[in-house]
Amino acid sequence: MQIRHDWTRDEIRGIYHLPLPELIFRAQVAHREFHRPDEVQLCRLLSIKTGGCPEDCAYCSQSAHYKTGVARQELMNPTEVLDAAKRAKAEGATRFCMGAAWRQVTDGKDFDRVLEMVRGVAALDLEVCCTLGMLTESQAQRLKDAGLSAYNHNLDTSPEFYGEIVSTRVYDDRLQTIAHVRKAGITVCCGGILGMGETDEDRISLLEQLARLTPHPESVPINSLVPNEGTPLGGAEELDPLVMVRTIATARILMPASRVRLAAGRRGLSQEAVTLCFLAGANSIFTGEKLLTTPNPGADADHRLLETLGMRAMQNA
Ligand code: SF4
């Protein structure tokens, strides 16, 4: 199977709207060419600096624009972060992600502490990922030199719908940070969030943006909105789990070599829906009780589910 970056909107629309059994079958064919069908990567995400973010992302409990009850916390100290990374590794995680609620990285004491965390986690032989907001080229290079394997920066939704979700930055800002990350030789983790009131066409447009990135993001997180009280999307309608399945399967077909991550919102899915997401080509999940500030199934529940399905956690980062 050839990896393509020239997918057209019509082709993607045609795939997304296939009858579900056909869509899942094609996703499985793509999946099996590049990945073991019985393996799922376990990742852990830790909020190293919580709340008080100046951005106004309508889904986010950490935005300073909304009253959500998330308490603001300063940057954690590197020793605590390393302890959390060691625990995550002991529970089977091979990737450790650190998230800070910043609009952008600012050079100085806090960034130096993040670099120290990256060096420490990389020394544990874990894939190390950060999500810190916008980055300059030189900051991306310093993260790379510290041992960063991946940088998460989501496109969130389609360019057409983006203005409904965020007003404090534009789509091109996202694309620029992704370009800086690429230039530094760090792998890209980039996906979106479903269930924010977007249409099928928005989801198709987001997938088109992702699938036309050259190279593709090595990791594609597909999140389902977890409505947070106090945010503009706090009362959003529940997403049909089959929309998640369709989006994951389409992502798998368009970006067959990437890891597709079933990310936030997994706790709202039944075991059967999660199983369908695996069949559709998801091969990475976040484990641990919390995803930044939202609840997530615990590591024990995940291990039990994999065992029930006869699947296993990926061993090597
Ligand atoms: S999603 Fe990130 S950038 Fe947006 S408000 Fe939340 S922490 Fe800030």
Side-chain angles (χ1 to χ4, degrees), residues 3 23 147 153 196 219 225 239 255 284 303 306:
I3 297 199
L23 177 60
H153 205 60
M196 301 195 292
S219 156
L225 177 76
L239 181 76
M255 297 168 280
S284 179
H303 285 293
L306 291 185

Side-chain angles (χ1 to χ4, degrees), residues 142-285:
R142 290 179 72 195
L143 283 164
K144 169 72 181 170
D145 295 343
L148 192 76
S149 348
Y151 195 82
N152 165 266
H153 205 60
N154 288 331
L155 288 177
D156 291 349
T157 189
S158 66
E160 299 82 8
F161 191 60
Y162 198 70
E164 303 290 318
I165 300 299
V166 189
S167 76
T168 46
R169 56 170 189 261
V170 293
Y171 217 72
D172 276 350
D173 293 333
R174 304 305 272 179
L175 293 169
Q176 196 174 53
T177 290
I178 292 167
H180 292 160
V181 168
R182 264 290 166 232
K183 194 163 176 206
I186 299 168
T187 67
V188 171
C189 172
C190 181
I193 308 175
L194 312 184
M196 301 195 292
E198 76 287 344
T199 59
D200 278 335
E201 201 55 27
D202 287 312
R203 294 186 270 267
I204 289 162
S205 170
L206 166 67
L207 288 163
E208 180 187 11
Q209 290 288 327
L210 295 169
R212 292 182 72 97
L213 289 173
T214 311
H216 292 149
E218 285 78 3
S219 156
V220 181
I222 305 290
N223 298 276
S224 161
L225 177 76
V226 179
N228 286 299
E229 222 180 294
T231 63
L233 293 175
E237 263 178 45
E238 213 176 293
L239 181 76
D240 177 349
L242 293 180
V243 169
M244 202 65 185
V245 173
R246 252 181 209 290
T247 307
I248 287 172
T250 309
R252 169 52 69 223
I253 293 165
L254 302 177
M255 297 168 280
S258 303
R259 280 191 197 138
V260 177
R261 180 166 309 120
L262 175 54
R266 190 161 57 87
R267 213 168 84 136
L269 296 178
S270 67
Q271 271 202 20
E272 292 76 5
V274 171
T275 305
L276 268 178
C277 290
F278 288 154
L279 276 173
N283 62 345
S284 179
I285 55 174

Side-chain angles (χ1 to χ4, degrees), residues 112-123:
D112 292 344
R113 274 165 91 184
V114 172
L115 293 171
E116 187 183 336
M117 294 172 197
V118 170
R119 280 189 288 269
V121 177

Side-chain angles (χ1 to χ4, degrees), residues 49-66 99-104 131-134 153 156 162 165-166 168-169 174 193 292:
K49 187 265 162 192
T50 307
C53 181
E55 300 283 67
D56 68 352
C57 309
Y59 51 83
C60 184
S61 61
Q62 301 198 66
S63 166
H65 294 258
Y66 316 124
W102 287 329
R103 170 178 164 76
Q104 71 221 358
T131 180
L132 313 169
M134 293 185 255
H153 205 60
D156 291 349
Y162 198 70
I165 300 299
V166 189
T168 46
R169 56 170 189 261
R174 304 305 272 179
I193 308 175
L292 296 179

Side-chain angles (χ1 to χ4, degrees), residues 291-306:
L291 267 191
L292 296 179
T293 62
T294 57
N296 192 51
D300 287 351
D302 291 332
H303 285 293
R304 273 198 306 277
L305 174 62
L306 291 185

